[in-house]
Amino acid sequence: EPEVTQTPSHQVTQMGQEVILRCVPISNHLYFYWYRQILGQKVEFLVSFYNNEISEKSEIFDDQFSVERPDGSNFTLKIRSTKLEDSAMYFCASSEGGVPQYFGPGTRLLVL
Amino acid sequence: AQSVTQPDIHITVSEGASLELRCNYSYGATPYLFWYVQSPGQGLQLLLKYFSGDTLVQGIKGFEAEFKRSQSSFNLRKPSVHWSDAAEYFCAVGFMEYGNKLVFGAGTILRVKS
């Protein structure tokens, strides 16, 4: 069964550093998403991406964040200058038609 | 703002017993409704979904959920719980008027005792 994959599974970085989280969505899907889950809190929507552009973003998704689909298979989330409060599990999701969304295993980001 | 409530943070049931996990959402428009399960260190696995039609939906692993519009609820049920069902369960709701983003509940941690 096709799955969403994410790399790395864990990332530790210093505050102020840039990180790029990578995702390979399911191959025939057209809609891509990033969510995050701060430890002990709810899963929160960050951004959705369709037709090579952002279709929706949350208040969390400020100028420090960007997304890109650099080729036909990868979908990336970049955090330009990480802050302590960016520590979270980041989930990528993809969908054929918007819903339902299929989630990857997540990348656990720790900012020190 | 749209919100999803899972009133039970933890639930413990005996293996073989029935299970019901509650989920309520705040907005009255036609929602898309989902249940996801997350085992420790794992991602979110889709258990079942409701878009329209029959309000009782069947999912994987023997789970079912019933959409009750009058109660704005989408409770998850299983008639006989197995030890392997121990995990965290998330209710998620999408609202057509608000794009495709999902709003998640806080999750319910299910413990199964033998």
Side-chain angles (χ1 to χ4, degrees):
Chain A
E1 185 176 327
E3 292 179 338
V4 177
T5 59
Q6 291 184 242
T7 54
S9 57
H10 295 79
Q11 172 115 33
V12 181
T13 190
Q14 296 292 321
M15 191 169 55
Q17 295 296 303
E18 175 183 286
V19 294
I20 297 176
L21 309 183
R22 291 183 168 80
C23 169
V24 178
I26 295 173
S27 63
N28 63 333
H29 285 186
L30 302 175
Y31 295 79
F32 314 111
Y33 308 85
W34 285 100
Y35 290 77
R36 79 173 185 190
Q37 184 182 29
I38 295 172
L39 189 64
Q41 297 187 24
K42 292 184 180 185
V43 177
E44 305 172 285
F45 168 79
L46 291 178
V47 65
S48 59
F49 191 87
Y50 171 71
N51 202 25
N52 283 321
E53 60 183 24
I54 291 174
S55 47
E56 191 176 0
K57 59 183 180 179
S58 71
E59 298 171 345
I60 304 166
F61 195 88
D62 61 22
D63 292 343
Q64 293 298 314
F65 291 89
S66 62
V67 290
E68 194 178 31
R69 188 155 163 80
D71 53 43
S73 59
N74 290 283
F75 180 52
T76 62
L77 174 69
K78 182 192 291 185
I79 309 174
R80 247 180 289 281
S81 177
T82 50
K83 303 188 276 282
L84 296 176
E85 55 265 37
D86 293 328
S87 295
M89 179 77 94
Y90 287 81
F91 291 106
C92 174
S94 71
S95 175
E96 193 172 0
V99 286
Q101 294 166 19
Y102 296 89
F103 284 77
T107 293
R108 186 170 295 284
L109 176 65
L110 178 61
V111 182
L112 302 176
Chain B
Q2 314 90 29
S3 68
V4 179
T5 302
Q6 292 180 247
D8 304 304
I9 299 173
H10 296 95
I11 282 187
T12 301
V13 299
S14 298
E15 193 169 14
S18 64
L19 170 71
E20 182 169 29
L21 303 182
R22 295 181 290 165
C23 173
N24 294 90
Y25 62 92
S26 68
Y27 195 77
T30 304
Y32 305 129
L33 300 158
F34 309 90
W35 276 97
Y36 288 87
V37 61
Q38 184 181 33
S39 298
Q42 303 297 310
L44 298 164
Q45 182 183 21
L46 180 65
L47 276 179
L48 48 73
K49 59 186 183 289
Y50 172 80
F51 293 156
S52 63
D54 192 346
T55 55
L56 183 64
V57 293
Q58 303 296 319
I60 61 171
K61 306 185 181 188
F63 286 92
E64 67 178 26
E66 185 172 13
F67 170 50
K68 293 185 178 179
R69 185 184 300 278
S70 61
Q71 298 176 19
S72 298
S73 70
F74 189 56
N75 294 348
L76 181 71
R77 300 195 294 247
K78 186 169 185 178
S80 177
V81 167
H82 188 262
W83 64 266
S84 60
D85 293 324
E88 188 161 18
Y89 292 79
F90 293 93
C91 179
V93 184
F95 300 94
M96 195 163 42
E97 307 90 307
Y98 295 98
N100 294 320
K101 69 177 183 184
L102 296 183
V103 179
F104 280 79
T108 298
I109 296 172
L110 173 65
R111 299 192 179 107
V112 180
K113 59 182 182 181
S114 54

